[in-house]
Amino acid sequence: MTEDKSTGAWPNIDIGQILGQLQIPGVDLNALIERERANIQAVQQANRIAFEGWQGLMNRQAEMIREAMSTWQDSAGTARGEPGEALANAGAQAQQAMEKALANMRELAEMATRSQSEAAEVVRKRFEQNLQELRAQLTPKQ
């Protein structure tokens, strides 16, 4: 048995056309298909926002690591001198490094929260639209 290579295992079927032939009384199949299409688009948009947020987060983390390594290399070169002075410099650099790390963690958390909020907002809006459409369908027509 040979498989049609142009369509693969699943032939190109127009579900809308098939459902349109069913004609179920009281059900607007075209509206149902359009609603599901809008739902899928909302999920795609939310996924795209989440992915772009994740990508930005990873890029920023890599940038922070490069900055930290550069700072560490610079501080290693300036550690020479009197022992007391070197110890004081090391303490100040450690404090600055800790403050920078905390600021970086805060920035990353804000980036993640913003991305998640934007993605959730897309899904929330679509959910509200679905509720409004459902209410309109269930409201008796006068």
Side-chain angles (χ1 to χ4, degrees):
M1 186 192 252
T2 61
E3 183 181 316
D4 182 6
K5 299 293 182 190
S6 64
T7 60
W10 295 93
N12 190 12
I13 298 174
D14 185 2
I15 300 296
Q17 182 181 10
I18 293 172
L19 290 177
Q21 294 171 357
L22 293 177
Q23 296 183 3
I24 301 170
V27 177
D28 184 357
L29 291 176
N30 287 331
L32 179 65
I33 291 168
E34 284 306 311
R35 183 171 45 247
E36 290 308 311
R37 182 173 289 129
N39 288 343
I40 290 169
Q41 288 172 343
V43 169
Q44 287 174 328
Q45 183 181 4
N47 284 338
R48 186 173 42 256
I49 290 169
F51 177 74
E52 289 170 358
W54 174 82
Q55 210 172 22
L57 194 66
M58 294 299 107
N59 289 339
R60 183 64 182 121
Q61 280 183 326
E63 187 179 312
M64 288 174 181
I65 289 171
R66 282 191 297 273
E67 289 173 5
M69 293 303 293
S70 176
T71 301
W72 178 74
Q73 287 174 341
D74 291 345
S75 68
T78 61
R80 296 178 181 89
E82 293 294 321
E85 184 181 324
L87 186 58
N89 286 340
Q93 289 174 351
Q95 183 177 356
Q96 289 173 350
M98 182 62 92
E99 290 170 358
K100 179 74 173 171
L102 289 173
N104 287 344
M105 289 189 322
R106 188 176 308 114
E107 179 184 349
L108 293 174
E110 288 170 358
M111 287 176 71
T113 300
R114 185 173 41 252
S115 174
Q116 291 170 356
S117 296
E118 290 173 6
E121 182 64 15
V122 169
V123 174
R124 185 194 64 76
K125 283 181 180 177
R126 184 63 203 142
F127 181 75
E128 285 181 1
Q129 290 171 347
N130 278 331
L131 284 178
Q132 290 172 355
E133 292 169 6
L134 184 62
R135 283 184 191 125
Q137 288 177 350
L138 295 176
T139 302
K141 295 182 173 115
Q142 297 183 20

